[in-house]
Amino acid sequence: SSGINAEYGDVTSTGTVKTAYRGTKRLTNGEIFYHYPEGVWPEFSRFNEVFDCDNTKPLHEVPYFIFDSVFVSPTIPLLMKQLDIIFTNSHSVDAKCREFYVDLIASFVHNFNPDNNAGSFFPSIERHADLYIQEASTELRNKLFSLREAGTKLILITASDTPYTELLMSHSYGKDWRSFFDLVCCRAKKPGFFTSTAYRRPFFRDGIEIFELTADGDTYLEGHWTRVDKWIRHNTSKPGRVAYVGDSFKSDIIPTKLATSWDIVAIVLEGKLLHVSACEHKKPRPEKIGWGSFFGERTEPSMYGGRLFELSDLTLTDVEELVLLGYEQELPSNKTGNSFTFSPF
């Protein structure tokens, strides 16, 4: 996480500041103690209050920014360099500099905004889809097809708009990708899909409000999870549980766990790095600037790792690993004692 006022910090699940940088300069233990006399990140006490909600507050009203995935983490070095520039002319981040820093973060948010092709990220994917979009394996497609054939209801819920969803799914699953799903829900505006009041989140189709969902191959827009849950209960032959698969900590895992009774399967790409690290032979390495594992240590998980461990029922490192799971029995759990593991490894 990043304190907008001065430092970047690596915080444990109990709020302890484990590592801190002021710009690109790593703080010593003594300097950390000076800035955090109690050893705890000051905002930690209200971290859950802010993080476990539909966070629509403007950036200038939130005194920190959470880097919670490998998707946004590569921006950290550049932001650190910007702080170096600020500190060149000032020993503290005054109000004017803070406004600049908020604008800097907002520029990154804008760049990754899918609405109206803002920024450069999504337009680049559209122009070079064959380069950036991974094709789903035949095994995964066969698994989805067999699940539907066996009566399992499969639903796609995405925050992406319809054209971008068509682009991604066509390149990844083929032109017939809709045949894998009973319902397709686009522009879901997560986490509001889960956290908003149901009557304020109707479904739309062709600009018309829809009161009953039907598996007719059409795309539904926006909506609320309770309508989907009701549809599932009314269209299954026997009682069962709902497994929600998602890869966004703030948009999928947290709101779904807090609002629903569904089981949470978290796709955590960072787990691949953890496995690579665990499999490497231990050998001397030159000391380098870094945070260590994204999840912290087994005995002391990071703030991210601790919350992920608490909220998810199962974690996978890739959606392809769904092929390896059996669905005739309960899903395996990623919770074994006090440690954090990835299934099915």
Side-chain angles (χ1 to χ4, degrees), residues 14-88:
T14 58
T16 301
V17 179
K18 188 175 181 180
T19 308
Y21 287 83
R22 193 172 180 84
T24 58
K25 177 183 178 296
R26 181 165 181 165
L27 301 186
T28 65
N29 290 337
E31 289 172 326
I32 291 177
F33 179 78
Y34 175 80
H35 289 286
Y36 308 96
E38 298 181 1
V40 176
W41 179 41
E43 296 292 332
F44 185 77
S45 60
R46 69 188 196 98
F47 165 72
N48 291 341
E49 174 188 344
V50 177
F51 205 44
D52 293 355
C53 67
D54 186 359
N55 190 3
T56 57
K57 290 184 177 181
L59 284 173
H60 68 271
E61 294 184 10
V62 181
Y64 57 86
F65 185 83
I66 302 293
F67 296 89
D68 66 340
S69 72
V70 293
F71 186 76
V72 296
S73 293
T75 64
I76 294 179
L78 181 56
L79 294 173
M80 284 178 160
K81 287 289 187 181
Q82 293 293 336
L83 272 182
D84 285 344
I85 296 173
I86 292 174
F87 285 126
T88 299

Side-chain angles (χ1 to χ4, degrees), residues 105-251:
I105 293 178
S107 70
F108 284 98
V109 174
H110 171 79
N111 189 54
F112 295 107
N113 185 351
D115 296 336
N116 301 318
N117 284 331
S120 61
F121 179 79
F122 288 99
S124 296
I125 291 181
E126 292 180 4
R127 289 193 300 268
H128 309 287
D130 292 335
L131 178 63
Y132 293 120
I133 302 176
Q134 179 179 328
E135 183 179 348
S137 68
T138 301
E139 290 78 11
L140 178 57
R141 283 181 281 192
N142 289 341
K143 169 67 80 171
L144 296 178
F145 181 77
S146 63
L147 286 172
R148 279 206 70 188
E149 286 287 292
T152 301
K153 303 303 178 185
L154 298 182
I155 301 169
L156 176 65
I157 303 173
T158 175
S160 299
D161 60 20
T162 305
Y164 189 66
T165 301
E166 182 70 39
L167 174 73
L168 292 180
M169 297 302 290
S170 295
H171 275 77
S172 189
Y173 291 87
K175 297 297 184 181
D176 62 341
W177 65 269
R178 290 177 183 273
S179 65
F180 295 116
F181 302 97
D182 294 273
L183 293 176
V184 176
C185 305
C186 294
R187 208 168 71 199
K189 297 182 179 179
K190 298 178 284 185
F193 186 86
F194 300 101
T195 59
S196 296
T197 306
Y199 76 87
R200 294 180 177 176
R201 295 297 304 269
F203 277 101
F204 293 92
R205 185 176 59 192
D206 298 326
I208 302 174
E209 184 174 344
I210 300 298
F211 297 95
E212 293 294 333
L213 302 179
T214 58
D216 52 11
D218 284 341
T219 298
Y220 295 93
L221 302 179
E222 302 185 22
H224 195 263
W225 76 270
T226 53
R227 300 279 295 279
V228 174
D229 190 72
K230 180 180 178 182
W231 183 91
I232 294 173
R233 308 300 177 188
H234 287 181
N235 288 276
T236 50
S237 57
K238 58 182 180 180
R241 296 189 63 78
V242 178
Y244 180 85
V245 183
D247 64 353
S248 172
F249 194 39
K250 288 185 284 189
S251 296

